[in-house]
Structure formats: C-alpha cells, structure tokens
C-alpha cells in the first residue's frame, strides 16, 4: 500500500503519479517537499523519513492545456467517484443528480455523483437533505490531467483534495 505518490506542481495542481522511490529521490535532492505523509515512516539502512503520499515540486512546471476542464461524461463521474457517494458501496453504481433533473438540476460534474441503485431509489426526486442523506464528498469539476490521474490510479484518500482543487 501507499507505493505510489501524487506529485503536485509548485502551484499545488496535480502533475503526475510516481513510485515512492522516485518521490524520495526528488525529496532528497530538494526538488520537492512533503505535503502529506502516512502514519508510518519509511526506513532503510541509511535513511529514516516520512512516508510520502503527496509531494510538491519546488519549481513550477508549465502544463498548458492539460489544466483545462475535462468535458462532462456520465462514465467520467463513475470513474471520478468509484463508489456510492451516499453509502460508500461500490456495487450497482448509477448516476444521481444531486439536484434532480426534474427540479432544474444540470447534468454536470458538480451536480452528478455516483450512487448505488438502492441509494438512488431511496433519494428519488429529492435533495440529499430532504432525504436525510449526506454526500461523502462534494462533486468537483476535474481538469484533464487530474481526471487522467484519478482514472488511472486506485483512489488514495490523501490525494482527493488535490485532485479536486
Ligand atoms: Zn449507496
């Protein structure tokens, strides 16, 4: 576990995902700093340091168009969320409009979340608060690069807030 590390630009935008060994090399050469670390320490014969989960480059790297917003798709919402945003289950995932379509809600990254069939049926034509349900995470608009990273890698909870920004 925690064998991969999220690399942020100096601006805190997500840039890439690298093996922990590569992240440590950047840290030791003072090219990056630790932003989030795991509870346990990383130890070897010559070294004891925090186990990095998220690091930030000291120097800004230009990423251009990859920082643009990713286009909305239903499949994208399922990839972004990976689990029901009401109960946390991962079976039978559907798309829930947080503000229902019939009440003016949009089909957008920030109004759609993954929800399992039972939660979707229970919420029905209501807002979460009306149904006594709470979203586990605010739905966010990913950028191209952040979306590519979150799609290609198992969701690491410590990464989430940086991919969402
Ligand atoms: Zn559910």
């Amino acid at each position: 576990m925690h064998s991969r590390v999220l690399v942020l630009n100096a601006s805190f935008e997500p840039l890439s995902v690298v093996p922990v060994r590569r992240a440590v090399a950047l840290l030791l050469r003072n090219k990056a700093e630790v932003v989030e670390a795991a509870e346990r320490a990383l130890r070897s014969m010559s070294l004891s340091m925090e186990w990095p989960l998220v690091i930030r480059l000291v120097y800004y790297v230009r990423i251009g168009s990859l920082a643009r917003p990713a286009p909305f798709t239903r499949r994208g919402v399922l990839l972004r969320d990976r689990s029901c945003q009401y109960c946390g289950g991962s079976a039978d995932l559907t798309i829930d409009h947080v503000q229902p379509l019939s009440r003016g809600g949009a089909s957008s990254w920030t109004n759609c979340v993954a929800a399992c069939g039972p939660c979707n049926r229970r919420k029905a034509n209501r807002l979460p608060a009306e149904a006594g349900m709470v979203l586990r995470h605010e739905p966010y608009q990913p950028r191209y690069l952040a979306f590519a990273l979150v799609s290609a890698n198992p969701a690491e909870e410590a990464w989430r807030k940086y991919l969402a920004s």
Side-chain angles (χ1 to χ4, degrees):
M1 63 178 301
H2 301 322
S3 60
R4 294 168 83 72
V5 179
L6 178 65
V7 181
L8 304 178
N9 214 337
S11 56
F12 285 92
E13 288 172 298
L15 263 188
S16 66
V17 174
V18 298
V20 69
R21 180 178 305 190
R22 168 91 179 119
V24 168
L26 289 166
L27 293 167
L28 291 177
R29 279 152 49 212
N30 293 320
K31 297 204 167 178
E33 61 185 22
V34 175
V35 177
E36 303 268 350
E39 294 282 319
R40 65 178 171 148
L42 184 71
R43 283 183 219 287
S44 74
M45 300 248 277
S46 56
L47 157 92
S48 176
M49 63 185 292
E50 291 178 297
W51 188 289
L53 298 177
V54 181
I55 65 171
R56 171 177 170 257
L57 297 181
V58 174
Y59 299 104
Y60 183 76
V61 175
R62 286 190 148 280
I63 54 174
S65 62
L66 292 174
R68 284 207 315 261
F72 171 79
T73 62
R74 297 166 70 90
R75 182 168 165 275
V77 171
L78 297 179
L79 280 170
R80 180 194 64 185
D81 293 345
R82 291 173 183 275
S83 60
C84 174
Q85 294 301 290
Y86 297 106
C87 74
S90 54
D92 185 21
L93 290 182
T94 63
I95 300 289
D96 173 56
H97 288 76
V98 176
Q99 180 179 346
L101 275 176
S102 61
R103 295 170 62 176
S107 288
S108 67
W109 285 107
T110 52
N111 191 50
C112 288
V113 296
C116 69
C119 285
N120 207 338
R121 285 189 291 277
R122 183 179 145 213
K123 178 172 171 286
N125 195 28
R126 297 180 289 181
L127 297 172
E130 293 168 351
M133 298 164 83
V134 178
L135 282 170
R136 298 164 77 91
H137 301 285
E138 276 302 308
Y140 61 90
Q141 157 77 67
R143 287 178 284 234
Y144 269 114
L145 189 57
F147 181 60
L149 295 176
V150 81
S151 304
N153 293 279
E156 170 75 68
E157 200 58 28
W159 295 3
R160 182 174 278 272
K161 65 182 174 218
Y162 302 100
L163 296 171
S165 64

